[in-house]
Amino acid sequence: MAAVERLLLAQQNTAAGGESVLGSIEIAVMPIVKVFTMCALGLLMASKYVDILHASGRKLLNGLVFTLLLPCLIFSQLGQAVTLQKMLDWWFIPVNVVLGSIAGSIIGFVVATIIRPPYPFFKFTIIQIGIGNIGNVPLVLISALCRDQSNPFGDSEQCSKDGTAYISFGQWVGAIILYTYVFNMLAPPPEGTFDIDNESVPLKSTPIGDATPEQIPLLAREEGVSSTSQNTSKKWEIKGLPAFLYEKLKLKQVLQPPIIASILAMTLGAVPFFKQLIFTPDAPLFFFTDSCMILGEAMIPCILLALGGNLIDGPGSSKLGFRTTAAIIFARLVLVPPVGLGIVMLADKFGFLPPDDKMFRFVLLLQHSMPTSVLAGAVASLRGCGRDAAAVLFWVHIFAIFSMAVWIILFLYILF
């Protein structure tokens, strides 16, 4: 009799374990499926069969997302969640972004040295491997994961608010990396263009005044060189040190709307007076925060439709070749995440992370397992290698559907 009871108990435990494993797989896979579905709809809308989301429409949709919808989401969610103490507790989030970029770039350099990509795509390969998507894709995954009432992080609203706040808190350092390190790494070769096989393009770098839009930094056209040193000295005398730092550090490129929204949210949210004035439900100016929340909710579907549409010209348009493209995909999705996992586990062991905050750790791990940054692709377009970046983005995001599901299952297993 006792043996029968033990057998039944073992069967019940096995069944429960199987349901637990299936539940973990479902929790990990469903957000990826939702992301893929919305991207597929965007791809369909941009295809020749429907042709609603054409190139100009995608450009406008991208501009709307990054100029209005994403800043509204960041401002409303980060502003409500952040306090001065939390900013001190969250210090490792931007550090994690920097460490991830350094580790990814080192892996990219090693891979590029081994596979020897076609000239002039050596630095391009390093960037495509080293710079992951720390903003929009994690935001989408967190939103889809927290929407499920059975998510392991508890209350859906609190889950979404915390996850969005953690991700937004790291975006400002990500933007600095993009518009300084990535922008300089993707500079055109001495021939002046990445399209070096095309005989119709000039072989020398064009002057700044005659540069094409693809060679001009984001949101700014560099001014021409002053005609005389006297005019230059007078200009610096008038502008002074702040203007010198503004131009040298390319702050106009760094201070994009999402970054401005992050800075405003952190500044206002960390001061109790402004928090009570703007971000609490009974605040006099909460109507502004509530309006931003409504607009921010539109960010997820819009950015996924735009991402799917942007991938319409991806396959077959690259000069990288199969070997280089496959190496980028493998390194970004398979080699980088374990290094990131090691970084986060080591930081946790040394006590750098807030205790018992699983969402905090999950976001840190997500930052290392994402596909190549879409904004890095935008910078590549400005530098003249947009077609190659689009092809890489297409294939990386296709395979990321499977890799992210595997990594999320592993992360949830480690955390829970």
Side-chain angles (χ1 to χ4, degrees):
M1 190 67 179
V4 174
E5 290 179 354
R6 285 197 300 269
L7 180 60
L8 291 174
L9 182 61
Q11 289 177 345
Q12 291 175 357
N13 291 337
T14 301
E19 292 177 0
S20 177
V21 171
L22 290 176
S24 299
I25 294 175
E26 181 180 358
I27 290 172
V29 171
M30 287 309 295
I32 309 297
V33 173
K34 295 175 184 178
V35 170
F36 177 75
T37 301
M38 287 185 275
C39 285
L41 290 175
L43 187 63
L44 177 63
M45 294 299 102
S47 68
K48 62 181 180 180
Y49 303 104
V50 180
D51 199 24
I52 293 177
L53 200 60
H54 43 77
S56 59
R58 297 197 302 271
K59 184 177 180 181
L60 290 174
L61 190 57
N62 276 320
L64 181 65
V65 166
F66 288 105
T67 305
L68 178 63
L69 302 184
L70 180 58
C72 284
L73 179 69
I74 291 174
F75 180 81
S76 59
Q77 298 284 1
L78 182 59
Q80 291 182 85
V82 75
T83 63
L84 184 59
Q85 183 59 46
K86 286 183 178 180
M87 290 175 63
L88 296 176
D89 293 337
W90 298 351
W91 66 271
F92 191 76
I93 294 177
V95 172
N96 188 60
V97 174
V98 174
L99 292 176
S101 299
I102 294 173
S105 296
I106 293 174
I107 294 174
F109 177 80
V110 173
V111 171
T113 302
I114 294 173
I115 66 168
R116 296 183 180 180
Y119 179 81
F121 292 103
F122 188 89
K123 292 182 179 179
F124 175 91
T125 302
I126 295 175
I127 292 300
Q128 296 299 308
I129 294 173
I131 305 301
N133 193 318
I134 62 167
N136 39 7
V137 174
L139 282 172
V140 172
L141 288 174
I142 290 295
S143 176
L145 179 63
C146 294
R147 189 182 299 272
D148 191 341
Q149 295 296 328
S150 62
N151 78 82
F153 297 101
D155 179 67
S156 295
E157 184 177 351
Q158 190 63 39
C159 167
S160 180
K161 182 182 295 185
D162 290 344
T164 302
Y166 295 155
I167 294 168
S168 302
F169 190 66
Q171 287 203 25
W172 61 272
V173 69
I176 293 175
I177 292 172
L178 275 171
Y179 296 114
T180 53
Y181 167 64
V182 174
F183 188 84
N184 288 312
M185 283 286 284
L186 294 180
E191 290 82 1
T193 175
F194 285 87
D195 202 12
I196 58 175
D197 292 333
N198 192 342
E199 296 180 358
S200 64
V201 297
L203 295 179
K204 299 295 182 181
S205 298
T206 55
I208 284 292
D210 299 327
T212 61
E214 289 79 13
Q215 296 170 316
I216 298 174
L218 290 177
L219 303 182
R221 181 184 295 271
E222 293 185 2
E223 299 180 358
V225 180
S226 299
S227 57
T228 62
S229 59
Q230 182 178 0
N231 291 338
T232 303
S233 62
K234 287 182 179 179
K235 181 178 68 173
W236 291 122
E237 288 176 3
I238 295 173
K239 290 185 176 181
L241 181 61
F244 174 78
L245 294 175
Y246 183 85
E247 293 193 9
K248 284 295 182 182
L249 297 177
K250 292 184 172 60
L251 292 182
K252 194 170 184 178
Q253 287 86 53
V254 173
L255 293 177
Q256 301 294 316
I259 309 308
I260 296 174
S262 298
I263 294 173
L264 284 175
M266 288 187 290
T267 303
L268 298 177
V271 179
F273 172 76
F274 291 117
K275 197 177 189 70
Q276 294 294 326
L277 185 66
I278 301 174
F279 294 111
T280 56
D282 56 346
L285 299 180
F286 185 73
F287 68 88
F288 180 78
T289 303
D290 198 26
S291 300
C292 288
M293 292 170 64
I294 295 172
L295 288 170
E297 290 176 354
M299 191 278 294
I300 302 300
C302 286
I303 202 169
L304 288 177
L305 289 174
L307 176 59
N310 288 340
L311 299 177
I312 189 68
D313 296 323
S317 61
S318 174
K319 294 184 177 181
L320 293 174
F322 173 79
R323 183 184 180 191
T324 303
T325 304
I328 291 174
I329 295 170
F330 181 79
R332 179 66 236 175
L333 301 181
V334 178
L335 299 183
V336 172
V339 176
L341 177 61
I343 292 173
V344 175
M345 297 299 288
L346 198 60
D348 193 15
K349 184 177 181 180
F350 286 132
F352 294 157
L353 310 184
D356 301 324
D357 192 338
K358 297 185 183 299
M359 175 57 78
F360 189 92
R361 288 159 175 77
F362 184 67
V363 168
L364 295 180
L365 293 169
L366 275 186
Q367 289 177 337
H368 295 287
S369 58
M370 292 295 100
T372 303
S373 171
V374 176
L375 288 179
V379 174
S381 296
L382 293 169
R383 292 305 237 170
C385 49
R387 287 182 304 171
D388 306 282
V392 171
L393 285 174
F394 179 89
W395 292 115
V396 167
H397 280 79
I398 290 295
F399 285 97
I401 295 170
F402 307 100
S403 69
M404 284 191 297
V406 173
W407 288 117
I408 289 175
I409 291 173
L410 177 62
F411 296 157
L412 292 177
Y413 177 79
I414 292 174
L415 293 175
F416 295 95

